[in-house]
Amino acid sequence: MKSIITLLLLSIAVTAIAQSQISDSDLERYSDLLTSNYIHYDKSVKIFNAIDNGLYDFPTLSEAPEGYTPFYISHYGRHGSRYHYSSFDYDWWSNTFETALNEGYFNETGVKVCEDMLAICKNAKGRAGDLTAQGRAQHQGIAKRMFQNFPEVFNVAGATIDAKSTTVPRCIISMSSFCQELRAQLPSLTINTDAGECFQYFMNPHSKDKNPYNDSTEWKSSREAFYKSQNNSMECSKLFKEPEEAAKRFNMQRINSAIYDAASTLQGVDIEGVDALRTFLSHEGNVNAYMSSNFYWYSSNACVPQLGGTMNCKKITPLLEKFVEEAEAVISGTSTLRANLRFGHDSALLPLLCLMNVNKAGDELADFKTMYHSWSASRYIPMAGNIQIIFYRNNANPDSEILVKILQNESEASLPIGKGPYYKWNEVKAYWQQRITDCNR
């Protein structure tokens, strides 16, 4: 009987980390997915839990194996929801829409959308890229749930946490919000926070080594063919009295992208009204824009076969090496830290997930038209997206294996080795070290 129960529990655990395909009906039902990496953190987590497990809520985590308790957490998190990152874009939006309005190009719908765009630009004046109130709340929520899920990590006399951020203000404030919440949960915690250029090489790396595959004729042809197939410029023509004349005066492709980007930011920015902008793009138009955004993130940061597979993630190897190095220091006893918290950007989190190959992020996909069903930036890099590696030991048996559970956006995640959600650390470490070697081949 005991063996039967054990098998049932294993079956439940495996089911809990199964990652479902994203159907076209899912995109209709959960239209927030179409905002790609702009999606609000809470919505992303709950939507994918609903798709994978049928429950629109934060996921429930499995119990640790008998005798095992968590003792260390290694983490990397993207900043929370922000205003659109570019003041140059805000200026372009404002100038372009105001010019079209003053010169009489807009029809009635165009005037309403224009007013909304100008209101958004006014609301964001001097705030491009800044963390919003919702962004702060997202990190507070993640920290609170981390403490509640793994109190054994923190409820230790003299527990010390190391937190680092990139030098960008939205990341520093995300770190501050997270750490303030941890200390609210346990005032005795010692939390050392830091940010500086000396951490950038692994916290926010930008590859100086040109990937030779990026310049190949085959890749350029594949990329351009995909973008051209999306026809994203067609939607915004509905704003103008005479679309053909407007196209001679304005960059229609860029106007369409501006509307998509501006509307997408609304998930994380508190602003009343602007309903004409929220509802302007059709479902088909949003899907096309989402597919282009999804393709951009995949081609820029994932294991694209045409770009050398894992070699396309080479820039992030210092960060993964840091994960391994700092974990080994804790395991060996040379470090007494209970957690390493790191706060940065989607451009680091995504290649990290791909290099680790968490939840199939590192899959090599060749069919760009259909990959959005299995590979989604909305899943991997929402605002405040994160990865948490939870380390477990059996204190009653010091010779037992160290186990790890990987949480991707607080959901139990899978690796293509062994059976999850609890993996042997030595096997995970060996797998990741091989992936690092593959980047440098």
Side-chain angles (χ1 to χ4, degrees):
M1 177 62 72
K2 184 177 180 180
S3 62
I4 293 174
I5 293 173
T6 301
L7 286 171
L8 285 172
L9 289 174
L10 284 172
S11 174
I12 292 170
V14 172
T15 301
I17 59 173
Q19 181 171 290
S20 303
Q21 291 276 308
I22 304 166
S23 67
D24 290 330
S25 60
D26 288 330
L27 294 179
E28 269 196 279
R29 182 179 182 184
Y30 303 113
S31 59
D32 290 324
L33 291 177
L34 299 175
T35 57
S36 189
N37 65 315
Y38 277 102
I39 188 171
H40 189 286
Y41 179 76
D42 294 17
K43 290 182 179 180
S44 174
V45 176
K46 292 177 180 180
I47 288 171
F48 282 109
N49 194 40
I51 292 173
D52 295 339
N53 302 309
L55 182 64
Y56 184 84
D57 202 350
F58 285 97
T60 300
L61 303 182
S62 62
E63 294 291 331
E66 186 176 352
Y68 277 85
T69 55
F71 66 93
Y72 170 66
I73 297 174
S74 189
H75 154 279
Y76 188 96
R78 183 192 182 194
H79 58 75
S81 286
R82 54 157 168 72
Y83 291 89
H84 184 66
Y85 67 92
S86 170
S87 59
F88 179 81
D89 281 353
Y90 276 121
D91 289 343
W92 191 91
W93 300 353
S94 179
N95 293 336
T96 300
F97 277 83
E98 194 167 342
T99 297
L101 178 67
N102 292 338
E103 294 181 5
Y105 279 92
F106 287 131
N107 56 28
E108 185 177 349
T109 299
V111 170
K112 291 178 180 178
V113 170
C114 174
E115 290 172 347
D116 287 354
M117 287 292 290
L118 294 178
I120 284 177
C121 293
K122 182 178 179 180
N123 176 260
K125 188 70 174 176
R127 302 236 61 182
D130 286 356
L131 195 73
T132 67
Q134 293 190 46
R136 293 193 294 274
Q138 289 158 14
H139 277 284
Q140 290 166 345
I142 296 165
K144 184 176 182 178
R145 288 185 294 273
M146 178 187 282
F147 183 89
Q148 292 173 341
N149 287 330
F150 309 106
E152 302 93 336
V153 172
F154 305 100
N155 278 319
V156 177
T160 301
I161 309 301
D162 183 83
K164 288 184 172 64
S165 168
T166 69
T167 55
V168 179
R170 60 180 173 269
C171 300
I172 295 172
I173 299 173
S174 292
M175 174 177 67
S176 175
S177 300
F178 196 106
C179 293
Q180 285 175 10
E181 181 60 36
L182 280 182
R183 191 169 280 117
Q185 296 295 314
L186 187 63
S188 64
L189 271 178
T190 297
I191 305 177
N192 299 319
T193 60
D194 206 349
E197 286 294 333
C198 60
F199 307 129
Q200 294 292 89
Y201 79 96
F202 70 92
M203 291 286 291
N204 189 27
H206 297 283
S207 179
K208 296 179 181 178
D209 299 325
K210 184 80 171 174
N211 186 335
Y213 293 91
N214 273 308
D215 293 325
S216 72
T217 302
E218 177 190 1
W219 169 244
K220 289 180 178 178
S221 297
S222 298
R223 182 186 61 199
E224 293 308 314
F226 178 82
Y227 280 129
K228 286 179 180 178
S229 71
Q230 298 311 110
N231 295 319
N232 288 333
S233 63
M234 299 303 292
E235 288 274 319
C236 70
S237 63
K238 294 182 292 185
L239 296 172
F240 299 98
K241 297 173 184 174
E242 299 180 38
E244 291 184 4
E245 289 302 310
K248 297 176 184 178
R249 180 75 170 86
F250 304 103
N251 184 333
M252 302 292 271
Q253 177 72 45
R254 191 166 178 185
I255 288 177
N256 209 83
S257 295
I259 292 170
Y260 173 74
D261 288 343
S264 295
T265 66
L266 296 176
Q267 285 196 49
V269 176
D270 295 321
I271 181 172
E272 297 294 327
V274 296
D275 294 327
L277 175 65
R278 294 178 197 273
T279 59
F280 174 72
L281 289 178
S282 67
H283 176 70
E284 181 183 4
N286 274 313
V287 168
N288 284 340
Y290 162 72
M291 287 176 67
S292 289
S293 176
N294 200 53
F295 172 75
Y296 166 80
W297 285 108
Y298 180 75
S299 64
S300 301
N301 293 282
C303 301
V304 187
Q306 295 93 330
L307 296 178
T310 53
M311 286 191 288
N312 201 39
C313 301
K314 183 178 180 179
K315 72 174 183 178
I316 210 65
T317 54
L319 178 55
L320 184 51
E321 288 170 340
K322 188 66 71 172
F323 265 73
V324 173
E325 172 192 325
E326 292 177 334
E328 285 294 296
V330 172
I331 292 168
S332 69
T334 59
S335 169
T336 59
L337 290 175
R338 305 298 289 185
N340 282 102
L341 308 176
R342 310 169 186 90
F343 297 86
H345 306 266
D346 46 14
S347 56
L349 176 61
L350 182 54
L352 177 65
L353 293 172
C354 295
L355 187 56
M356 289 178 164
N357 206 1
V358 171
N359 278 342
K360 299 184 177 181
D363 279 4
E364 297 188 19
L365 305 171
D367 187 350
F368 303 141
K369 292 290 288 185
T370 62
M371 74 176 189
Y372 71 97
H373 291 303
S374 59
W375 196 100
S376 173
S378 303
R379 182 192 290 273
Y380 297 125
I381 48 170
M383 294 295 180
N386 60 90
I387 183 166
Q388 303 173 27
I389 317 297
I390 319 300
F391 287 74
Y392 296 79
R393 64 161 49 110
N394 189 332
N395 292 319
N397 183 5
D399 295 327
S400 61
E401 293 266 14
I402 298 293
L403 301 181
V404 293
K405 176 166 67 176
I406 299 170
L407 301 184
Q408 192 252 317
N409 297 340
E410 300 181 76
S411 300
E412 291 179 347
S414 64
L415 290 175
I417 54 171
K419 289 184 178 180
Y422 297 91
Y423 297 92
K424 295 178 180 178
W425 167 240
N426 283 335
E427 292 181 359
V428 172
K429 178 177 65 172
Y431 176 67
W432 286 346
Q433 288 174 331
Q434 183 58 55
R435 300 275 289 178
I436 291 171
T437 299
D438 290 345
C439 281
N440 298 310
R441 67 183 187 273

